[in-house]
Amino acid sequence: MTTSTVTVTVPPAAAHPKDTAPDPARARRRRRLAQWGFVAPAVVFMLLFFGYPLVRNVVMSFQHYTPKTFFTGEAPFNGADNWSSVFQDALFGKTLRHTLVFTAGSLLGQFCIGLALAVFFNRRFPLGGVLRSLILLPWLVPMVVSGVVWRRVLDQDTGVLNTFLDTLGLGGHTPWLTSPGMALLSVILVNIWIGIPFNMVILYGGLQEIPKELYEAASLDGASAWRAFRSVTLPMLKPVITVVLVLGFMSTVKILDLILALTDGGPADATQTLGTLTYQKSFVELDFGAGAVVGNVLILISAVFAVFYLRANRTEGK
């Protein structure tokens, strides 16, 4: 008689749900660490290359900082002496006005001409792409190079512009860069020429995103081209216009190299702005404390518009 053995496999006991469920707190910690891992390099970069120089510049504005400091390391605090000396200087008020005029004039000219060109190139026509590429050239050339070229063009005696005007019998001896009354206007015009491509490219991209159906509906309602521009184009371009104007302001208000190449802040400080005054105080007069004060004022103005830009974008996002 044979006895058979039956082997029964008993399945393992099911794990308790509490043993397999992930810990929510641990998952949140891991997710947070991963997020900080991506953000940390940018934070370190900002602190090293922007945060430290900014703090150092603020501290320097309250110190008696001279070339001797680089050798001795001694920079005694002098309270608000640097600030009071800068604000009481008549040149500071003049440069502040010049900065506002230069920035406002440049932004107005760049935006208006850039918008007109964007609307013009928004239509398809032969060689349109080639012409757009050629208009980008002023934006691609380094600003110092543009300043040097325009200084030769606007030269009172041998400049191309005066020679051309003299050929037309319109007078060829205009002191574009040597007259206190003409120099600031000339610098503004050159900066407009440089900034037009940036405005045109950004606004052209915004125009490409406007649905064509809106213009068709406006046409069916009997709207003229100007009415369609006011009622469709401008409202739809509002977010792009905000970006263009704010970024344009932040890049224009601190321009230094173009003015140095054209007029070096002259004649008679007629083209002196906050950017050139910072350079003059720090690297010409070697008064680093006063230069830091003017630089802090410039940073504060830019920061105000940066906050405006962020708030405007947040409002548009909502």
Side-chain angles (χ1 to χ4, degrees):
M1 182 174 182
T2 304
T3 304
S4 60
T5 304
V6 179
T7 303
V8 178
T9 303
V10 180
H16 196 274
K18 291 185 178 180
D19 298 332
T20 59
D23 185 4
R26 182 179 298 177
R28 283 196 300 269
R29 284 196 298 268
R30 289 180 178 177
R31 188 163 53 249
R32 190 171 301 168
L33 287 175
Q35 292 171 350
W36 276 107
F38 285 105
V39 175
V43 172
V44 173
F45 178 84
M46 294 291 291
L47 290 176
L48 287 178
F49 295 98
F50 291 93
Y52 173 76
L54 178 61
V55 173
R56 194 71 191 87
N57 197 65
V58 173
V59 173
M60 189 185 297
S61 66
F62 294 98
Q63 293 177 315
H64 181 63
Y65 209 100
T66 63
K68 184 180 178 181
T69 305
F70 293 99
F71 301 97
T72 64
E74 298 177 357
F77 282 85
N78 58 1
D81 290 349
N82 293 330
W83 292 82
S84 61
S85 64
V86 169
F87 289 156
Q88 291 174 5
D89 189 356
L91 181 59
F92 176 77
K94 182 187 293 187
T95 57
L96 185 59
R97 291 193 300 271
H98 291 167
T99 303
L100 295 177
V101 173
F102 173 77
T103 304
S106 297
L107 289 181
L108 182 62
Q110 293 171 0
F111 175 76
C112 292
I113 300 176
L115 179 59
L117 289 175
V119 173
F120 175 75
F121 284 111
N122 196 36
R123 304 175 181 178
R124 295 183 178 274
F125 59 91
L127 300 179
V130 176
L131 292 177
R132 284 201 309 271
S133 302
L134 292 176
I135 292 178
L136 289 177
L137 288 178
W139 194 25
L140 302 177
V141 177
M143 197 167 292
V144 173
V145 176
S146 299
V148 171
V149 171
W150 274 102
R151 186 168 185 168
R152 297 294 301 271
V153 171
L154 299 176
D155 186 86
Q156 181 177 356
D157 299 321
T158 61
V160 176
L161 181 57
N162 276 345
T163 303
F164 177 72
L165 293 176
D166 188 43
T167 302
L168 297 179
L170 300 176
H173 302 284
T174 304
W176 298 102
L177 300 175
T178 56
S179 170
M182 291 289 299
L184 184 59
L185 175 61
S186 301
V187 173
I188 291 174
L189 293 176
V190 173
N191 192 50
I192 290 174
W193 176 82
I194 293 174
I196 286 174
F198 171 77
N199 284 259
M200 185 199 72
V201 168
I202 303 300
L203 294 171
Y204 176 80
L207 288 174
Q208 294 293 304
E209 297 298 323
I210 299 178
K212 304 300 181 184
E213 293 79 6
L214 297 179
Y215 293 106
E216 295 175 359
S219 177
L220 292 176
D221 290 339
S224 62
W226 174 244
R227 181 61 183 274
F229 178 78
R230 288 191 299 114
S231 302
V232 177
T233 304
L234 287 182
M236 296 297 294
L237 275 182
K238 186 178 177 181
V240 180
I241 291 174
T242 302
V243 172
V244 167
L245 291 180
V246 176
L247 294 182
F249 175 89
M250 295 177 65
S251 63
T252 302
V253 73
K254 59 183 178 61
I255 279 183
L256 170 66
D257 42 4
L258 176 64
I259 299 177
L260 290 181
L262 284 172
T263 61
D264 197 21
D269 296 320
T271 56
Q272 202 73 266
T273 62
L274 291 177
T276 59
L277 184 61
T278 303
Y279 173 83
Q280 178 177 320
K281 291 289 185 183
S282 299
F283 301 106
V284 178
E285 301 177 8
L286 300 180
D287 189 354
F288 298 102
V293 171
V294 182
N296 287 329
V297 173
L298 193 56
I299 292 172
L300 181 61
I301 294 175
S302 299
V304 170
F305 274 81
V307 172
F308 169 76
Y309 167 65
L310 294 175
R311 289 179 63 89
N313 273 1
R314 185 177 304 172
T315 302
E316 292 296 337
K318 293 179 180 179

